Amino acid sequence: MKIKTVDVHHITVPLPVETWTAQESFSDVSCLLVEIVTNNGLQGVGQVTGPKLKLVNDYVQQFGDIIKGMDARSSTVIWDKLFSLTSPRPYGAEAKDSLPPPLSRADRLQITAAIGGIDNALWDIKGKAANMPVFRLLGGETSKVPVYATGGYLKKGASITACASELGNFIDQGYRAVKLKVGHHTMEEEVERVSATRDAIGDAMLMLDMNACYDLNECIRFARAVEPFDLTWLEEPLHWYLQPADFAKLAEATSIPLAHGERLYDRFTARDFIVNGGIKFIQMDSTRHSGITEHLRIAYMAEQNGIFIAPHLAPEMHGHLISAFPRTGFIAESHGDPNRNPLWHGGLFNKKAEIKNGYLHLNENAGFGYEINWDFVEKYRVW
């Protein structure tokens, strides 16, 4: 089963209302679809999200030329081969091993995103080749995975506590867990938002996504202020440059568990947070970096250290990973507001997993169980 073609489709869907996190604003949602076809006609589609998707596309095209003719089931060999391009190797600068010279260190974010898109497509193919869903291929049994809804993005003109009614509505839709975006307002205003949201959702699980808005001392003060509200975790609580040692100090200072990992490139950086960072939840995202192959490695490492797995977004893919870890697979993420995720809610898939009554229900279709709506892709195609 040889890789015959590797194609990339870039789509961008505008949002009806611009929204903000603590760190950035969004007026649209973009995605790369990496489509791989084998010589026996099997098709796999992987997803990539994140910044500079044109550069990611260029790397996927380059990598596609390298992996053509390789066995599509050999995802680990392919992953290691592509990842080796990020570091010097004997005679690599002269390309004597038929591979390109080491790639730009400045592009590592986009390189690992490109590797992830290819790897995800290969897992879709492997499931189809075995005629089973990926979660069963990984050894999972359950097709019913807990899921939460993220909301509370800042919208122009909205009141400070508009998030409370929004997340309360998610509970009315059947969700049993919700996540609130915080960090854009003053600390006192954020505490007010958390308090109002807790009142609106009752005893449902409540997580806070902080988008790296505080330094260590500020975050300790904030954590102590919101501890009375029975929080499941603080996600990405510290500034981007702070390290596992800083997270460990925060973990010692608060009773609220910490979550982190959606922006970590690989198992090596994830390892330091798992072993030394005091986190309780690891949130890898195979659409941003490295793909399912690397995140399986991270998931096993997390399991060995008593860390729960709570992947970032793309529940139609990450639900399979959670199913494969019955002891530590914790929960998947979705957006409760259809306007915030027009890919999931707006027609990218003809078939996909379903969300109902607080659970993601995976189907028994081979691969990731989704079928791309190519008419939707054509409508919103960038290239």
Side-chain angles (χ1 to χ4, degrees), residues 30 36 59 68 95 97 149 166 174 180 197 206 224 244 248 295 302 306 312 353 375:
S30 296
I36 297 179
Y59 278 114
K68 282 178 185 176
D97 53 4
E166 178 190 2
L180 174 65
T197 301
L206 177 59
R224 289 174 176 168
H295 291 141
H312 177 255
D375 290 337

Side-chain angles (χ1 to χ4, degrees), residues 152-351:
Y153 293 86
L154 180 71
K155 298 176 183 177
K156 187 175 181 180
S159 69
I160 287 291
T161 57
C163 54
S165 58
E166 178 190 2
L167 272 65
N169 181 57
F170 296 165
I171 300 302
D172 293 340
Q173 294 176 32
Y175 286 98
R176 304 175 187 182
V178 293
K179 186 169 78 178
L180 174 65
K181 292 284 185 177
V182 299
H184 187 93
H185 303 280
T186 67
M187 187 177 297
E188 291 72 22
E189 288 171 330
E190 293 296 359
V191 174
E192 180 183 357
R193 294 175 77 238
V194 174
S195 176
T197 301
R198 170 50 74 197
D199 289 342
I201 68 172
D203 60 0
M205 279 198 296
L206 177 59
M207 302 85 152
L208 301 187
D209 187 355
M210 303 169 67
N211 293 122
C213 66
Y214 290 133
D215 68 21
L216 178 58
N217 290 329
E218 287 177 321
C219 197
I220 290 173
R221 186 161 69 90
F222 175 77
R224 289 174 176 168
V226 296
E227 279 179 351
F229 301 115
D230 187 24
L231 301 175
T232 301
W233 70 52
L234 301 178
E235 175 178 336
E236 287 197 320
L238 298 177
H239 289 328
W240 67 269
Y241 50 81
L242 296 177
Q243 297 300 307
D246 303 292
F247 278 71
K249 290 177 182 177
L250 175 60
E252 290 176 357
T254 179
S255 61
I256 307 172
L258 307 183
H260 190 61
E262 69 186 66
R263 301 176 203 276
L264 300 180
Y265 292 2
D266 51 56
R267 65 190 182 275
F268 305 104
T269 48
R271 174 191 60 198
D272 293 337
F273 280 95
I274 288 171
V275 176
N276 300 314
I279 66 172
K280 194 62 179 177
F281 301 92
I282 186 73
Q283 297 177 292
M284 58 278 207
D285 185 341
S286 65
T287 72
R288 282 188 173 177
H289 300 295
S290 301
I292 295 292
T293 293
E294 185 71 343
H295 291 141
L296 272 171
R297 292 162 166 163
I298 294 172
Y300 282 119
M301 190 188 315
E303 183 182 52
Q304 292 162 16
N305 286 274
I307 307 298
F308 291 102
I309 302 159
H312 177 255
L313 290 180
E316 68 278 5
M317 291 175 50
H318 292 138
H320 295 263
L321 196 62
I322 294 169
S323 175
F325 290 85
R327 290 196 304 115
T328 54
F330 186 68
I331 201 166
E333 180 181 14
S334 69
H335 280 112
D337 181 359
N339 291 326
R340 189 59 189 81
N341 189 350
L343 299 182
W344 171 275
H345 294 282
L348 177 58
F349 305 102
N350 287 325
K351 297 179 182 177

Side-chain angles (χ1 to χ4, degrees), residues 72-73 75 119-142 292-293 296 300 320-321 323-325 362-368:
R73 295 164 294 190
S75 57
D119 186 72
N120 294 333
L122 294 178
W123 275 98
D124 196 30
I125 287 174
K126 291 204 292 185
K128 292 172 180 175
N131 195 29
M132 63 176 65
V134 170
F135 76 89
R136 296 201 183 279
L137 191 65
L138 294 175
E141 179 181 28
T142 183
I292 295 292
T293 293
L296 272 171
Y300 282 119
H320 295 263
L321 196 62
S323 175
F325 290 85
L362 301 169
N363 58 49
E364 292 291 339
N365 295 332
F368 286 120

